[in-house]
Amino acid sequence: MSDPVPFYMLVIVGALMVGAYRIVYGRAARLVVPNLPGPSAARAQPRHHARLAAALTGLVGVGIYLTGLSLRGPIPSAGGDGLWLMALIVIPALPIALSIANVRPDFAARTHVERMAETGLMLLALVALLTTFGIVASLVFEATLFFRDVSIIEFLFGTQWSPQTPIRAGGTGQSGAFGAVPVFAGTFFITLIAMAVAGPVGLMVAIYLSEYASPRTRAIAKPAIEVLAGIPTVVYGFFALITVGPAIRDAAAWLGADVATQSSLAAGLVMGVMIIPLVSSLSDDVISAVPQSLRDGSTALGATKSETLTRVVFRSALPGIIGAFLLAISRAIGETMIVVMAAGRAANLSANPFDAVTTVTVQIVALLTGDQVFDSPRTLAAFALGLVLFVITLLLNIGALAVVNRYRIRFE
Amino acid sequence: MKTIETKLAPKFTCRGVSVHYGEFRALHDIDIDIADRSVTALIGPSGCGKSTLLRVFNRMNETIPDARTRGTVLMDGTDIYAPSIDPVLLRTRVGMVFQKPAPFPRSVYDNVAYGPRLHGLAQARGELKRLVEKSLRRAGLWEEVKDRLSLPAPSLSIGQQQRLVLARALAIDPDVILMDEPASSLDPIATARLEALIEELKKRYCIIIVTHSMAQAARISDKTAFLHKGALIEYDQTDRIFTNPSDTRTQDYITGRFG
Ligand SMILES: Nc1ncnc2c1ncn2[C@@H]1O[C@H](COP(=O)(O)OP(=O)(O)OP(=O)(O)O)[C@@H](O)[C@H]1O
Ligand SMILES: [Mg+2]
């Protein structure tokens, strides 16, 4: 039962495919094609016949492999993997024979290859789609379990988040308070601060790079800025914790206020710096892609460089710029390490940037680490958080996409 | 043979104008006088420097990073390449219609209103609307777009776009209009309309037009310049160029023997 999965069989399938390709190619190359007038299947080249044969063989081979794999459990290995192996080697002879028989001038191999490519691509797209769907389904499933214990109203609108401490003694056992509002508020507040830094700065950098910098400056500055994106987030967190946080605290103390080292401001500022290259690099690409003819048209009408920039270039690049911002926002929402280190874990509902806050991702990590029964409300709450975060980012994306599409359809 | 326009002071006077793109010399030592209130046609084989010469008059060559212009260009006796001249202001007086129409990604209306808005040309209520309509009418596009002024301009046909960018240039009411093959995508009717417009415009403006159509140059221009490999080969009254050119290269080009 615990036999290793015989991956070597896939190599056999591969070899069979190569064989099929070769044989059929040889046959098709020798095929005398009458020069028919008009569109004709005979226009298929040997490679079309051969590709079709290889694909068919591969399909049959993988099919047998998967069938064998699934039968291995229920039917205890009668003759080891021998039967399976035999099937794998013998049955593909059928598609190969079929392909050889199909090497005829009137067989539309080319059309079939085209259809095959289309189907193949569709299947791959389907895999991506199904994966997403599967993830969402598991989130929904676990979240449903959670909402059996904790009311959805309390979760969505409650302002008390303390999953560790049981508040109703003898109630639902170990559960604490699961009001997720402070957690989401923390996420969006930090994202807001980060975007307030990365949005304007990133855009200015992009405009400078694409419009004003000499090609040489650009060649040096652009990769240099992109390095910012390559720094591990834990390093940023470190930086926020030991440099930015204390600096904010000291600045506040100098002004006579007493604030903690951990604050949403520290986390947001550092996160903003981290995502500057995301905004600047993508925006620079789309701004540079605006055709020169548009700029010339504006210049020839007596517009200055900055007028051309704001009235024509920026507008044409808007869909791409929105895309860049969206990516940056997603990155900020998903960021965990910086927040853990710089903003703390306390679920405060506060719009004061000097307070410590927590975010959804930080809480998910906190809920899922440590000794926990897997189906306790505390653990399941992580899935509920994930689900709501997913829905929110989805809505955000749909909204932005709608804006982008409006401009695309109207102006391209 | 003295004609009316040679008696007037020329609008542009070019002396020893050369344009280089990097190491490549696109225009070589051009001397040319362009008369006001007339149509001057630039003809010559593709790549001979017609567009480059046209861009000399509104300093658009400066937007190309490695282009360098040398020599003197006077407009109404003033050196337009002097340091004191602001090219942005120059371009409000010297309008241009490019070879390849590039409408802004905005509505038809906003495209035409672009220049007037930029320069605050229409202050009173409704004035901008009238200006847009007038410009579109002159460019012969009004009837086709009057009900769809909010349509995105890039969705117009190429021929319509060509007239739209003409309307856009007319809307700021320049003194000079440079046209780079403005009829290349126009049907015969729109071309005839454009030529009628040029005929009317030349009463007040100086028009320089690049065209690949010998017939068009002969029909609409007063003087014709023939360029070849960056040099001005011949420049004379249009009827002379087309009936009795003095250079064999001109002769060969207009009769279609090369180019
Ligand atoms: N931006 C540029 N960079 C480098 N070389 C250029 C540039 N623009 C034009 N040239 C070169 O200068 C020469 C003249 O170009 P120009 O566009 O003035 O030709 P043209 O007479 O307008 O041709 P056409 O009739 O095809 O429009 C050509 O050889 C061209 O390759
Ligand atoms: Mg040209």
Side-chain angles (χ1 to χ4, degrees):
Chain A
M1 279 286 271
S2 59
D3 287 345
V5 175
F7 285 115
Y8 70 90
M9 288 190 183
L10 287 176
V11 177
I12 296 176
V13 174
L16 285 169
M17 286 172 72
V18 173
Y21 188 94
R22 295 226 149 163
I23 295 169
V24 173
Y25 194 98
R27 288 266 170 160
R30 269 177 274 123
L31 186 67
V32 183
V33 178
N35 209 353
L36 303 174
S40 157
R43 296 289 150 84
Q45 305 286 313
R47 65 169 189 275
H48 297 124
H49 289 284
R51 279 179 200 169
L52 207 58
L56 213 58
T57 311
L59 210 64
V60 171
V62 171
I64 297 166
Y65 179 73
L66 292 178
T67 314
L69 208 58
S70 60
L71 288 181
R72 201 145 79 126
I75 306 173
S77 39
D81 289 334
L83 198 65
W84 184 12
L85 192 61
M86 206 136 93
L88 198 71
I89 294 170
V90 175
I91 300 179
L94 283 172
I96 296 177
L98 182 72
S99 302
I100 292 173
N102 272 338
V103 179
R104 283 173 283 125
D106 63 334
F107 180 65
R110 206 173 158 204
T111 324
H112 285 296
V113 168
E114 202 60 32
R115 220 168 288 153
M116 190 180 77
E118 197 184 317
T119 318
L121 291 174
M122 205 187 69
L123 285 178
L124 287 179
L126 207 64
V127 169
L129 203 72
L130 286 179
T131 312
T132 315
F133 191 76
I135 293 172
V136 175
S138 85
L139 270 183
V140 170
F141 177 72
E142 304 287 351
T144 323
L145 291 182
F146 172 72
F147 289 128
R148 255 186 229 154
D149 286 333
V150 177
S151 103
I152 195 163
I153 305 288
E154 185 200 328
F155 180 75
L156 288 180
F157 301 106
T159 56
Q160 187 70 32
W161 178 264
S162 50
Q164 292 84 0
T165 46
I167 48 165
R168 286 161 299 191
T172 22
Q174 280 206 336
S175 70
F178 289 102
V181 170
V183 180
F184 282 99
T187 293
F188 294 118
F189 194 49
I190 290 185
T191 302
L192 198 73
I193 295 174
M195 286 311 291
V197 174
V201 175
L203 211 53
M204 298 297 167
V205 169
I207 289 170
Y208 172 74
L209 284 180
S210 58
E211 301 291 313
Y212 294 97
S214 71
R216 249 193 63 184
T217 316
R218 186 165 186 246
I220 297 170
K222 201 174 175 185
I225 292 166
E226 279 163 1
V227 165
L228 281 179
I231 299 173
T233 57
V234 69
V235 174
Y236 276 107
F238 210 65
F239 174 63
L241 185 67
I242 65 171
T243 311
V244 179
I248 291 172
R249 183 197 56 204
D250 293 347
W254 185 68
L255 290 171
D258 183 25
V259 301
T261 323
Q262 290 195 321
S263 65
S264 48
L265 187 62
L269 287 180
V270 173
M271 201 190 281
V273 172
M274 181 187 77
I275 57 180
I276 283 174
L278 251 171
V279 176
S280 72
S281 209
L282 290 173
S283 302
D284 171 48
D285 288 345
V286 291
I287 291 174
S288 302
V290 173
Q292 185 62 31
S293 58
L294 283 184
R295 299 162 205 258
D296 286 350
S298 172
T299 308
L301 287 168
T304 62
K305 193 162 184 165
S306 66
E307 284 165 346
T308 300
L309 193 62
T310 49
R311 293 176 189 228
V312 176
V313 177
F314 198 70
R315 223 188 144 95
S316 313
L318 199 60
I321 292 174
I322 292 177
F325 270 65
L326 213 68
L327 214 61
I329 290 175
S330 313
R331 184 71 207 275
I333 287 180
E335 176 51 42
T336 313
M337 198 48 93
I338 295 177
V339 185
V340 175
M341 296 174 80
R345 292 183 174 202
N348 293 323
L349 183 57
S350 163
N352 179 352
F354 298 108
D355 279 347
V357 295
T358 191
T359 65
V360 176
T361 50
V362 169
Q363 285 309 308
I364 290 177
V365 172
L367 290 170
L368 291 181
T369 47
D371 300 328
Q372 282 296 322
V373 200
F374 195 72
D375 56 355
S376 77
R378 203 191 127 168
T379 313
L380 293 174
F383 292 97
L385 285 179
L387 182 66
V388 175
L389 193 62
F390 170 78
V391 170
I392 291 172
T393 46
L394 188 71
L395 291 179
L396 200 70
N397 276 295
I398 290 173
L401 214 62
V403 174
V404 170
N405 277 342
R406 228 190 87 209
Y407 276 92
R408 283 255 163 82
I409 291 165
R410 288 185 60 195
F411 294 120
E412 268 172 26
Chain B
M1 188 168 104
K2 286 275 173 194
T3 59
I4 196 113
E5 58 266 21
T6 46
K7 276 181 216 147
L8 291 163
K11 188 76 182 170
F12 288 105
T13 308
C14 298
R15 288 294 173 265
V17 171
S18 300
V19 177
H20 284 77
Y21 295 111
E23 292 300 302
F24 177 74
R25 190 180 64 193
L27 278 185
H28 175 54
D29 218 6
I30 305 283
D31 292 342
I32 193 169
D33 286 354
I34 309 279
D36 202 359
R37 287 154 211 252
S38 74
V39 178
T40 306
L42 306 181
I43 61 170
S46 187
C48 69
K50 304 179 297 294
S51 299
T52 303
L53 179 57
L54 210 56
R55 287 198 301 263
V56 163
F57 297 111
N58 64 346
R59 291 180 61 170
M60 276 303 284
N61 281 327
E62 283 166 32
T63 63
I64 300 165
D66 58 349
R68 278 171 300 129
T69 308
R70 296 232 184 81
T72 322
V73 184
L74 305 181
M75 179 180 173
D76 298 322
T78 312
D79 182 1
I80 59 170
Y81 280 80
S84 59
I85 297 290
D86 182 356
V88 171
L89 293 181
L90 172 73
R91 290 178 196 127
T92 62
R93 291 180 56 207
V94 184
M96 181 164 194
V97 177
F98 290 90
Q99 188 162 2
K100 204 176 97 195
F104 302 136
R106 296 158 166 252
S107 69
V108 170
Y109 184 91
D110 287 343
N111 261 271
V112 183
Y114 185 84
R117 279 182 181 143
L118 207 58
H119 307 301
L121 294 184
Q123 300 292 357
R125 263 181 90 84
E127 203 181 326
L128 187 60
K129 238 175 152 171
R130 278 196 299 279
L131 183 55
V132 168
E133 175 176 345
K134 185 177 137 205
S135 308
L136 283 168
R137 275 191 195 284
R138 293 174 91 182
L141 188 59
W142 176 253
E143 291 303 323
E144 281 158 67
V145 299
K146 64 180 175 194
D147 303 318
R148 331 177 261 170
L149 289 174
S150 57
L151 198 76
S155 63
L156 294 178
S157 80
I158 301 293
Q160 288 171 330
Q161 290 183 12
Q162 217 159 34
R163 282 170 287 156
L164 180 74
V165 294
L166 175 64
R168 196 167 75 179
L170 292 174
I172 58 169
D173 201 30
D175 303 343
V176 181
I177 300 177
L178 312 170
M179 299 186 187
D180 203 341
E181 294 178 45
S184 58
S185 299
L186 298 189
D187 63 36
I189 294 169
T191 306
R193 225 187 276 141
L194 175 75
E195 290 178 5
L197 171 76
I198 291 173
E199 197 66 31
E200 182 222 310
L201 289 175
K202 88 175 205 188
K203 290 176 197 147
R204 290 196 291 128
Y205 304 88
C206 166
I207 293 167
I208 309 176
I209 181 169
V210 171
T211 176
H212 277 297
S213 157
M214 296 305 106
Q216 185 171 56
R219 274 197 303 271
I220 60 172
S221 68
D222 301 293
K223 293 189 88 173
T224 297
F226 172 65
L227 290 138
H228 183 52
K229 291 186 178 163
L232 179 62
I233 304 297
E234 195 168 353
Y235 178 48
D236 211 330
Q237 304 296 331
T238 296
D239 34 354
R240 243 187 94 81
I241 291 271
F242 283 99
T243 53
N244 190 15
S246 50
D247 196 291
T248 51
R249 284 169 291 183
T250 318
Q251 175 82 43
D252 288 348
Y253 180 71
I254 58 175
T255 53
R257 242 165 287 173
F258 79 87

